[in-house]
Amino acid sequence: MEQLTLARVEEGRHGEEEARGSQYLTFSAGGQMYGIGILAIKEIIQYGGISTVPLVPEFISGVINLRGSVVPVVDLAARFSGQPTRPTGRSCIIIVEAQEEDEIQDVGVVVDSVSGVLDFLPADIEPAPAFGTHIKAEFISGMGRVNGHFIMLLNVQRVLALDALLSNGSAALQ
Amino acid sequence: MNLERALQTFIEESRELLSAMEDALLALESAPGDGDAINAVFRAMHTIKGSAGLFGLDAIVEFTHVAESVMDRVRSDEIAVDESLIALMLRCRDHLVTLIDDLASGQQGEHAAVGAALVQALQALLGGGSNATVAVATENAAPQPEAGANATTGEGVGNDAWHISVRFAGNLLRNGYDPLSFVRYLATLSEILHVEPVTDALPPAQEMDPEECYLGFEIRLAAGPAQADIEAAFEFVQDDCSLLILPPHAPLTDYALLIATRPEADEQLGALLVSCGALTEAEVAQVLSAADATPELVVAATPAPAVAPAAAPAARQGREATTVKRSSSAIRVDASKLDQLIDLVGELVIAGASAEVMARRSRDRNLMEANSSVSQLVDAIRDSALRLRMVEIGETFNRFRRVVRDVSQELGKEIELTITGAETELDKSVVERIGDPLMHLVRNAMDHGIETAEVRVQQGKPAAGSLKLHAYHDSGSIVIEISDDGRGLDKERILAKAQERGLVAAGQTLSDQEIYGLIFQPGFSTAEQVTNLSGRGVGMDVVRRNIDALRGAIELDSRPGVGTTVSIRLPLTLAIIEGFLVGVGEAAYIIPLDSVVECIELDHGAIGQQNYLNLRGRVLPFLRLRELFHSRGQPARRQNVVVVRYAGQSAGLVVDRLMGEFQTVIKPLGRMFRHLRGFAGSTILGSGEVALILDVQDLIRTATERHCHAAEIAAECVETV
């Protein structure tokens, strides 16, 4: 089993932390490179074992059994571009701690492949542009500069704030 | 130990004791001679007093002391148990609840007047009896009349204080008691004049077991407390100690008995008694010479009261029994720890299932056998782990005895409460949230439902109204019924009121159920007079909202002049349920087995596109789950209909595959899916996959609503055309 658990440090608000210099896990989803601050990440597991949940938006792949607890899984590519991920041998699910109000819930994020962990100094992180990216500016906490190109550093809490979206999406049954 | 946390424990314990006390008092109302109940009340007062003393909460100590004294007199049959006593003790209990609540919230309310009035009433009960029992614990100077009486018998010794001789059993420390704590407690009763430790039993150091208790004490305690109070100090270690209590000016023969029964050498013990101040040297010499001559005679001639532990064996037994019950019911565990345990057990089940597959593949008979016994144990562990979170609803129901009693008095109505199905179990978290809605319903039934005695008699009903609380399991849910035999709901008035409030358009025809449903609308009340109990138009809608939040349903049935029944249907969240596994498209779903009636094959030829079928001459509407869930993949060639039944309604669910029964653990779906309707939760299958549990009630309800909605739209379309 290809399972690597990353050290996790006690911290309060991931979103704010990310803007300052720290370590980011980089990965690709839907052909794009993104980064997530490692403090928000619990572990990375192999893709698979997803049970679909009916009547939810397409970007929710379903739920998985993570050692006895039921964890929802979000397809990042579908969330950003509407194109669901085609699973390959390198596909992974990154388990992220999402904070909603005062509750912390684990959420899985489907990505095409995980690249590695990069150190970003504060000087390497540019503020998000007001427009020009294919995803909403509020999802981006900063642009990390690596070898002359940029990686979008995600504000995980915003990306995974699904409560509002789901309350609309699940009206289908009614 | 952190004092703040200890105080928290005290508060929690006191609350538990006070609620036990309330139950006991209410039990006494119907059975005034119930010794266990009297003891329970006494113990509540006694234990709270003792613990409050540790924290220096003098107000509570003083108050409980007087109440305890009264209960002690009740125990010894000096005060009769009657209605006024129960009412008084209930008020005392309420006062203590306020005091404890103040303590918990850190506020200082002004309850002194209430307390003083209660103390006065209690003192009046104690009457002209021995003032020693009335005296507040900290006062120890009061001379005791009985002690004086003893002294006049001529045989009494000069010692004007209690003498307590105690030897602890070896296992005292292992049982978690500290010998010193008893001495400390005695100090709260009265002044300890002298303590002489008895260490004769102590073996040489190399033979000593540090976990064994070898100690005893000879204690001289200033006069003041009653013998029962002193005995009570040792209540919890009755079996683990040998206790002799000699009253002030006890006859010399008592001391002779003391010396004779103790294992220590007579001379040595005599010396101890002298240094304690209990006896003078001359008295010791007298005792010893008498003991040498005729020890048997001394034992035989000893007056009974001196042998304290044997004095009231019956009462003691009662106390022991309740003590045992207490310790078996008093484990406090954090709910999250239980959840964690259940998660782990769930994983164990899954891991066990895959081990079983491996074992079967290996074809090793021994391995298979070993594995099957492991999985049996795992199943048993899972079942008991799940049961840990389940509590009986009886405790919640019992709270209403008091409510019914008080409210019926306030209203001047006679109401009898009958409780059935108290042993029905449901999840702790549900129990906690069902109390308030039930309270509203019970009060409503008493206030609006049940008529006054005169009206009832006029109508040929018994003068006493009847209120019933009933709980039972049905179709994987728990049903709680609150029924009264009152006047029932007035349909005309509800309808008129609803029209007046604009909730219903004039001329609209509604079914009975719909009319009754109106009372759950916000701001709806038909009570002509607003009482302080109900009728303010808040209540029923709050009840509805609370029940909805628990994903439950509430229904009301009423017959004019006969009564009203409110049934609340709640899911047994986190309970273990028997499920029926079905496949729809690629996914697996679980239907609670209790709601499954039968399975039949779907005859495509006869059905066509319609969504109902002929089930033995009756129309059965069905839902095609494939369409409802927008499932991908090809439908199965032979589809099946699972006939489900919920709250008297039947419906069919069309599925692709039937996969058999499956015992499942409900796992909540989490915040992300809380808006998702039609699912009661999720579960993990033996393969490790997650399957969703269908909420049959919700599916039927939403299908009905949607149908009505569609019909309305269609009707509107016709009108506009």
Side-chain angles (χ1 to χ4, degrees):
Chain A
M1 181 157 298
E2 195 182 300
Q3 185 173 23
L4 82 120
T5 307
L6 295 168
R8 196 159 47 86
V9 188
E10 284 298 319
E11 35 65 62
R13 293 169 299 178
H14 317 301
E16 267 75 351
E17 295 285 328
E18 283 167 18
R20 284 177 246 136
S22 47
Q23 292 188 304
Y24 286 81
L25 179 81
T26 57
F27 56 86
S28 80
Q32 279 282 334
M33 285 294 281
Y34 301 98
I36 294 180
I38 60 163
L39 296 183
I41 295 172
K42 276 184 95 173
E43 60 187 285
I44 302 168
I45 57 171
Q46 209 170 15
Y47 180 89
I50 299 180
S51 306
T52 53
V53 175
L55 312 173
V56 293
E58 200 176 16
F59 63 79
I60 294 181
S61 306
V63 286
I64 53 163
N65 162 22
L66 183 69
R67 291 188 305 278
S69 42
V70 176
V71 174
V73 177
V74 173
D75 185 338
L76 210 57
R79 175 92 169 96
F80 289 150
S81 61
Q83 288 295 315
T85 304
R86 280 210 202 92
T88 64
R90 301 196 53 187
S91 298
C92 290
I93 300 173
I94 305 174
I95 307 293
V96 180
E97 274 189 349
Q99 193 170 2
E100 219 163 296
E101 283 161 36
D102 44 4
E103 226 176 297
I104 290 181
Q105 198 192 7
D106 291 347
V107 177
V109 177
V110 176
V111 299
D112 288 335
S113 67
V114 171
S115 316
V117 175
L118 288 181
D119 273 312
F120 286 101
L121 293 171
D124 293 334
I125 300 176
E126 293 281 316
F131 60 90
T133 53
H134 67 285
I135 63 175
K136 279 193 212 162
E138 62 163 338
F139 294 158
I140 305 172
S141 67
M143 305 290 280
R145 201 182 302 118
V146 194
N147 303 334
H149 63 268
F150 285 106
I151 288 179
M152 275 178 261
L153 306 178
L154 298 177
N155 182 338
V156 190
Q157 305 309 319
R158 290 275 168 76
V159 174
L160 298 180
L162 300 166
D163 214 36
L165 286 162
L166 279 174
S167 58
N168 306 330
S170 64
L173 190 61
Q174 293 172 16
Chain B
M1 181 149 77
N2 187 341
L3 197 67
E4 190 54 42
R5 277 175 63 184
L7 188 66
Q8 212 52 47
T9 314
F10 165 69
I11 291 169
E12 276 172 36
E13 267 180 17
S14 302
R15 284 183 175 151
E16 269 174 27
L17 283 165
L18 288 171
S19 95
M21 175 176 170
E22 185 176 40
D23 290 349
L25 283 169
L26 294 170
L28 277 177
E29 235 173 16
S30 47
D34 186 346
D36 282 352
I38 294 172
N39 278 331
V41 177
F42 174 77
R43 203 180 48 248
M45 291 295 95
H46 176 73
T47 314
I48 292 174
K49 182 180 88 172
S51 314
L54 293 176
F55 294 100
L57 304 167
D58 292 337
I60 296 178
V61 173
E62 283 174 29
F63 184 76
T64 42
H65 178 75
V66 186
E68 183 196 357
S69 305
V70 171
M71 282 320 292
D72 194 35
R73 299 278 288 275
V74 172
R75 273 203 320 180
S76 55
D77 288 333
E78 287 170 52
I79 297 175
V81 177
D82 58 13
E83 217 166 279
S84 64
L85 177 81
I86 292 170
L88 177 62
M89 290 314 287
L90 279 173
R91 290 219 310 277
C92 289
R93 180 245 168 215
D94 292 349
H95 178 61
L96 274 170
V97 170
T98 345
L99 291 180
I100 299 284
D101 284 349
D102 276 358
L103 190 62
S105 61
Q107 288 167 350
Q108 199 61 47
E110 268 310 312
H111 314 297
V114 183
L118 286 170
V119 168
Q120 214 163 18
L122 291 168
Q123 301 274 24
L125 272 176
L126 288 169
S130 154
N131 61 353
T133 44
V134 187
V136 170
T138 45
E139 297 171 16
N140 48 32
Q144 224 183 7
E146 295 138 50
N150 265 339
T152 54
T153 57
E155 282 186 311
V157 298
N159 180 15
D160 61 352
W162 288 92
H163 183 80
I164 301 159
S165 166
V166 57
R167 300 290 180 276
F168 294 112
N171 58 1
L172 184 87
L173 299 175
R174 280 193 289 271
N175 288 348
Y177 295 102
D178 175 5
L180 203 55
S181 64
F182 300 102
V183 179
R184 276 201 214 105
Y185 182 75
L186 285 177
T188 66
L189 293 176
S190 182
E191 189 188 344
I192 292 180
L193 301 172
H194 196 95
V195 180
E196 199 63 51
V198 183
T199 53
D200 286 36
L202 202 65
Q206 62 268 32
E207 289 166 29
M208 197 188 89
D209 176 357
E211 290 184 2
E212 189 89 12
C213 177
Y214 301 101
L215 277 183
F217 292 117
E218 297 293 330
I219 302 164
R220 187 161 170 249
L221 186 70
Q227 173 150 348
D229 288 338
I230 300 175
E231 271 175 46
F234 296 92
E235 183 185 351
F236 297 115
V237 287
Q238 271 168 348
D239 293 338
D240 292 338
C241 76
S242 137
L243 180 68
L244 283 176
I245 300 170
L246 304 183
H249 305 289
L252 202 53
T253 45
D254 287 4
Y255 283 98
L257 178 76
L258 170 77
I259 291 171
T261 49
R262 288 303 184 211
E264 291 84 21
D266 292 355
E267 287 77 15
Q268 208 177 345
L269 194 57
L272 278 177
L273 290 174
V274 172
S275 61
C276 225
L279 298 177
T280 63
E281 283 190 26
E283 283 166 337
V284 169
Q286 202 184 331
V287 169
L288 291 180
S289 59
D292 283 343
T294 50
E296 288 86 356
L297 189 75
V298 172
V299 175
T302 306
V307 194
R316 237 183 82 191
Q317 264 171 11
R319 254 185 285 164
E320 272 164 23
T322 41
T323 313
V324 169
K325 212 164 89 191
R326 215 171 94 92
S327 58
S328 69
S329 65
I331 300 176
R332 224 183 289 276
V333 183
D334 196 14
S336 65
K337 283 187 191 164
L338 284 184
D339 290 346
Q340 202 184 357
L341 176 71
I342 289 165
D343 276 350
L344 282 172
V345 171
E347 283 173 53
L348 188 62
V349 170
I350 295 157
S354 61
E356 198 161 315
V357 173
M358 294 293 179
R360 219 174 290 150
R361 217 173 280 166
S362 76
R363 290 167 190 262
D364 181 336
R365 191 164 293 276
N366 290 331
L367 180 61
M368 276 155 77
E369 242 165 59
N371 202 72
S372 93
S373 55
V374 168
S375 45
Q376 265 177 18
L377 286 172
V378 169
D379 282 355
I381 290 172
R382 178 193 55 185
D383 287 359
S384 21
L386 284 170
R387 216 158 289 139
L388 289 178
R389 275 192 67 91
M390 302 292 274
V391 293
E392 291 184 359
I393 198 164
E395 209 174 301
T396 313
F397 277 0
N398 280 333
R399 270 171 49 194
F400 291 107
R401 288 193 193 277
R402 175 75 188 278
V403 175
V404 170
R405 180 188 177 281
D406 289 357
V407 172
S408 57
Q409 274 177 7
E410 198 175 315
L411 294 170
K413 295 177 184 174
E414 240 182 280
I415 299 170
E416 268 170 29
L417 176 68
T418 321
I419 290 175
T420 45
E423 70 289 344
T424 313
E425 287 190 327
L426 75 164
D427 195 87
K428 174 94 176 135
S429 53
V430 179
V431 168
E432 280 162 3
R433 291 165 67 184
I434 193 67
D436 287 349
L438 278 182
M439 181 71 81
H440 274 294
L441 294 171
V442 166
R443 289 186 158 217
N444 253 318
M446 287 189 288
D447 198 16
H448 303 319
I450 294 172
E451 313 91 330
T452 54
E454 300 89 69
V455 177
R456 290 181 65 88
V457 172
Q458 270 175 24
Q459 293 181 346
K461 292 187 196 177
S466 145
L467 184 67
K468 286 188 185 126
L469 282 174
H470 179 46
Y472 59 95
H473 280 153
D474 174 57
S475 306
S477 18
I478 181 171
V479 181
I480 302 168
E481 284 179 358
I482 302 105
S483 40
D484 63 68
D485 65 345
R487 59 171 74 95
L489 289 179
D490 186 342
K491 267 188 283 182
E492 299 307 314
R493 240 171 73 205
I494 294 173
L495 202 55
K497 189 89 165 200
Q499 283 166 350
E500 179 193 316
R501 296 264 158 107
L503 298 170
V504 178
Q508 200 175 341
T509 45
L510 294 170
S511 71
D512 284 5
Q513 276 300 324
E514 282 170 319
I515 294 172
Y516 296 144
L518 288 172
I519 68 167
F520 294 111
Q521 296 286 334
F524 191 92
S525 173
T526 60
E528 279 145 6
Q529 283 183 333
V530 172
T531 69
N532 67 345
L533 285 173
S534 44
R536 281 162 299 187
V538 291
M540 287 311 243
D541 62 314
V542 176
V543 170
R544 173 66 159 278
R545 234 181 305 149
N546 284 336
I547 304 290
D548 278 350
L550 289 169
R551 300 188 98 167
I554 185 162
E555 261 171 40
L556 200 146
D557 195 24
S558 180
R559 280 170 62 197
V562 179
T564 307
T565 299
V566 182
S567 6
I568 300 171
R569 199 170 261 278
L570 293 169
L572 299 167
T573 51
L574 219 121
I576 179 164
I577 59 159
E578 297 284 334
F580 190 71
L581 196 58
V582 297
V584 179
E586 293 155 359
Y589 298 95
I590 284 168
I591 305 172
L593 192 63
D594 297 337
S595 51
V596 175
V597 182
E598 60 181 314
C599 299
I600 49 176
E601 200 176 315
L602 185 70
D603 184 350
H604 281 285
I607 302 297
Q609 283 308 302
Q610 71 200 29
N611 285 329
Y612 58 87
L613 57 84
N614 178 348
L615 181 70
R616 292 186 289 278
R618 302 185 66 173
V619 178
L620 183 80
F622 58 75
L623 288 169
R624 294 175 194 266
L625 292 188
R626 284 192 65 86
E627 288 170 18
L628 193 64
F629 296 162
H630 309 293
S631 296
R632 279 178 292 235
Q634 278 297 307
R637 203 157 43 81
R638 285 169 50 192
Q639 286 189 304
N640 284 286
V641 180
V642 181
V643 181
V644 291
R645 198 176 169 74
Y646 190 89
Q649 256 184 305
S650 286
L653 300 175
V654 180
V655 300
D656 286 340
R657 273 157 294 141
L658 302 176
M659 287 140 85
E661 288 173 29
F662 184 75
Q663 206 180 39
T664 122
V665 182
I666 301 181
K667 287 184 180 286
L669 265 176
R671 278 181 71 89
M672 194 178 265
F673 298 113
R674 66 181 163 166
H675 299 289
L676 190 60
R677 293 187 60 185
F679 299 100
S682 60
T683 190
I684 295 171
L685 302 177
S687 62
E689 259 178 86
V690 181
L692 299 176
I693 301 171
L694 298 181
D695 184 339
V696 172
Q697 170 203 11
D698 216 23
L699 283 175
I700 295 178
R701 195 165 58 193
T702 42
T704 317
E705 279 169 15
R706 207 173 23 164
H707 185 77
C708 295
H709 191 60
E712 268 168 38
I713 291 170
E716 275 167 27
C717 290
V718 172
E719 273 170 31
T720 47
V721 167

